[in-house]
Amino acid sequence: MMKNNHIRLAVILGSISIIGIIVFQLYWAKNSFSLAEKQFNQTIEIALFNVAEKVLNFNGHEMPNENPVRQISSNYFIVDINDVIDANILDHYLKTEFDYRNVSIDYEYAIYDCETDKMVFGSYINQENRKDTDKQPFQKYDEFTYYFGIIFPSKTLFILKSINIWIISTLVLFTAVAFFAYAIYIILRQKRLSEVQKDFINNMTHEFKTPVSTIGISANVLSDPSILKDPERLKNYADIIKAQNIRLEQQIDKVLQLARIEANKVGFNIEMIDLNQLVAEVAQSFNLTMEEKGGIINLQLMPEPTYINTDKIHLTNVLYNLVDNAIKYCSKAPQVDISVKGEQDFVFLGISDNGIGIEKQYLKKVFQKFYRIPTGNVHNVKGFGIGLNYVLSFIRKMKWQIEIDSKPMDGSSFIIKIPKV
């Protein structure tokens, strides 16, 4: 298994490398677009300059010294002919000049009419024979008398097509980044699962080793023939073996029950039960434990029987897990409040305690399988970390809802929302 610092270093270095590659890729893509746009503008200016010269020559005039081409915006150019413009002649020269320079792009032009003081639409040249093309607005300029304006509505798309190699390489890069991110996610997930598995094995080994060791010691004592002379001592060790055997069975059952629920191999015996009665029975089973710890269980039940449809055995296990956790995770005399409240179409089963509570960052994780809240080197609370996951699995199978509210050193509260019969 890779050490944590090795994985962290690999993630950091990989992330820095990917970020650097992305920055350079975007930088060069932007530069390529700017360069392609600059080349396009220069080509258009030269083509329009030649068109203006040909129109003037056709009218029998010479080209002035000043450049008649003005770029008004990114895709709008004005050509100041300062002479009469024939629409048919202009159309011919535009097509000829753009074809000569391999400028295959849609464009629309209009000629300024000084008599009406309006831009008169000339023509929309559609290179791909598309239909329903929208006419672009042409802005007038009072400083010119005889001029025409030309707009390239698809200029951006035309430039992007000219640098398609950069676009493709950028898409490939982002695909690689997505794959890298997914790989990192898988690595971290496998790392977490490996840690969870390790913790589970350690906890399971500890949980099984204690009763097995106790049973072994008790068996060695019972194998001594002299113990037959002390029946009371014999009974005590027999009771120890019995108690430890029950403990082993309970731990094994927890794992098997959770596995069956997750695999949908458990058959629920759905029946109508009185929730008040079940809560009272579970609370009574903890009386001896509470007496030993100096704690108390308070019940707030409905005055009348409260019936729900569920599997009695599994719901009993759910209640037992929640109450058992409330007692285990308490640094003082435990106080557990169990309430059953009815509200319209639902019953709310609440279990609250005065335990050590749960920090906010762990609230969403406590229901994960095998997850146990980090306690450093303190291992005074035993368990596999499957109790709350079993609770959540059963509640989801029943299509119920559960909410948790907890603060460090201020106890925890679980509320289960159950439909009424």
Side-chain angles (χ1 to χ4, degrees):
M1 185 191 304
M2 294 182 65
K3 294 183 179 179
N4 292 343
N5 56 341
H6 289 167
I7 295 178
R8 189 179 299 110
L9 181 62
V11 172
I12 292 174
L13 291 179
S15 300
I16 293 175
S17 301
I18 290 297
I19 291 174
I21 293 173
I22 290 176
V23 170
F24 278 109
Q25 180 71 17
L26 294 177
Y27 171 78
W28 286 113
K30 181 177 181 297
N31 281 357
S32 296
F33 182 87
S34 298
L35 179 61
E37 184 178 27
K38 184 177 180 181
Q39 291 176 343
F40 175 85
N41 291 338
Q42 289 177 346
T43 300
I44 293 301
E45 286 186 10
I46 293 172
L48 293 178
F49 181 90
N50 292 339
V51 169
E53 185 177 26
K54 290 178 180 179
V55 170
L56 287 171
N57 289 337
F58 180 83
N59 292 339
H61 299 119
E62 294 184 358
M63 189 74 175
N65 294 329
E66 185 180 357
N67 187 358
V69 182
R70 307 280 194 279
Q71 183 172 0
I72 306 303
S73 64
S74 174
N75 64 343
Y76 184 27
F77 294 79
I78 280 182
V79 182
D80 181 20
I81 299 293
N82 198 23
D83 201 347
V84 178
I85 303 174
D86 186 298
N88 294 326
I89 296 300
L90 176 62
D91 184 81
H92 170 73
Y93 285 146
L94 285 173
K95 289 180 180 179
T96 302
E97 192 65 30
F98 287 159
D99 288 342
Y100 175 75
R101 300 186 180 278
N102 293 322
V103 180
S104 180
I105 184 174
D106 295 357
Y107 62 90
E108 179 182 359
Y109 67 89
I111 302 171
Y112 175 71
D113 186 355
C114 58
E115 295 182 0
T116 59
D117 192 26
K118 291 182 180 180
M119 296 293 293
V120 180
F121 176 68
S123 180
Y124 189 106
I125 308 302
N126 192 328
Q127 301 292 341
E128 299 180 3
N129 296 321
R130 292 189 301 267
K131 297 180 179 180
D132 299 327
T133 52
D134 296 328
K135 295 181 179 180
Q136 300 295 318
F138 287 86
Q139 185 177 353
K140 295 187 306 176
Y141 287 87
D142 295 334
E143 57 182 297
F144 305 131
T145 305
Y146 296 98
Y147 66 91
F148 69 91
I150 183 168
I151 293 178
F152 301 92
S154 58
K155 174 186 174 182
T156 301
L157 181 61
F158 178 82
I159 295 175
L160 288 176
K161 287 181 179 180
S162 67
I163 58 169
N164 55 4
I165 185 63
W166 284 100
I167 297 176
I168 294 174
S169 62
T170 302
L171 292 177
V172 171
L173 174 63
F174 281 119
T175 301
V177 170
F179 175 78
F180 173 79
Y182 179 72
I184 292 297
Y185 167 77
I186 293 297
I187 292 174
L188 295 178
R189 185 171 179 269
Q190 291 298 325
K191 173 178 173 293
R192 185 182 68 82
L193 292 176
S194 178
E195 292 175 348
V196 167
Q197 183 184 37
K198 180 181 177 181
D199 292 341
F200 171 72
I201 293 174
N202 290 338
N203 290 332
M204 184 176 64
T205 302
H206 178 75
E207 287 292 300
F208 285 168
K209 187 175 181 179
T210 301
V212 169
S213 299
T214 304
I215 291 174
I217 294 172
S218 300
N220 290 334
V221 174
L222 292 177
S223 64
D224 186 356
S226 62
I227 197 173
L228 297 175
K229 300 177 183 179
D230 190 350
E232 185 65 27
R233 188 181 175 205
L234 176 63
K235 182 179 182 304
N236 287 339
Y237 278 101
D239 289 340
I240 290 174
I241 292 176
K242 182 179 179 181
Q244 294 300 323
N245 183 65
I246 292 174
R247 179 181 172 186
L248 274 174
E249 288 181 348
Q250 290 176 341
Q251 299 292 4
I252 294 172
D253 284 343
K254 282 184 180 179
V255 178
L256 293 179
Q257 286 173 351
L258 180 61
R260 290 193 188 103
I261 289 179
E262 290 184 338
N264 292 320
K265 293 183 179 180
V266 61
F268 292 118
N269 181 25
I270 305 298
E271 57 182 321
M272 187 169 65
I273 66 169
D274 181 5
L275 186 58
N276 288 337
Q277 181 180 349
L278 181 62
V279 168
E281 292 174 357
V282 172
Q284 186 178 6
S285 67
F286 284 95
N287 284 343
L288 182 59
T289 303
M290 283 300 194
E291 289 178 5
E292 294 176 352
K293 295 182 175 290
I296 186 174
I297 295 181
N298 298 317
L299 299 181
Q300 299 176 3
L301 307 179
M302 298 286 288
E304 67 280 348
T306 305
Y307 294 104
I308 61 172
N309 287 323
T310 188
D311 185 295
K312 183 177 181 180
I313 295 177
H314 284 286
L315 182 56
T316 301
N317 292 337
V318 166
L319 285 170
Y320 184 89
N321 277 322
L322 293 175
V323 176
D324 185 52
N325 282 347
I327 297 172
K328 288 194 301 184
Y329 294 97
C330 187
S331 58
K332 50 191 173 184
Q335 177 179 326
V336 181
D337 299 321
I338 306 178
S339 63
V340 176
K341 299 179 181 179
E343 215 175 278
Q344 295 181 353
D345 298 329
F346 295 94
V347 177
F348 293 89
L349 172 61
I351 299 95
S352 303
D353 60 63
N354 63 335
I356 59 176
I358 305 171
E359 293 185 18
K360 185 177 181 180
Q361 59 181 323
Y362 301 126
L363 285 178
K364 294 183 178 180
K365 300 180 179 180
V366 293
F367 289 109
Q368 295 178 5
K369 185 164 57 175
F370 306 139
Y371 182 82
R372 301 190 71 197
I373 297 175
T375 55
N377 294 322
V378 180
H379 303 285
N380 57 323
V381 180
K382 302 175 182 179
F384 294 155
I386 62 175
L388 289 181
N389 184 258
Y390 170 80
V391 170
L392 181 63
S393 297
F394 174 72
I395 287 176
R396 284 179 173 174
K397 294 294 182 182
M398 291 289 101
K399 298 187 180 345
W400 298 350
Q401 297 178 20
I402 184 170
E403 294 181 358
I404 178 174
D405 183 26
S406 183
K407 294 180 181 179
M409 306 311 298
D410 196 27
S412 302
S413 176
F414 292 85
I415 299 177
I416 303 175
K417 184 178 179 182
I418 307 171
K420 284 185 178 179
V421 176

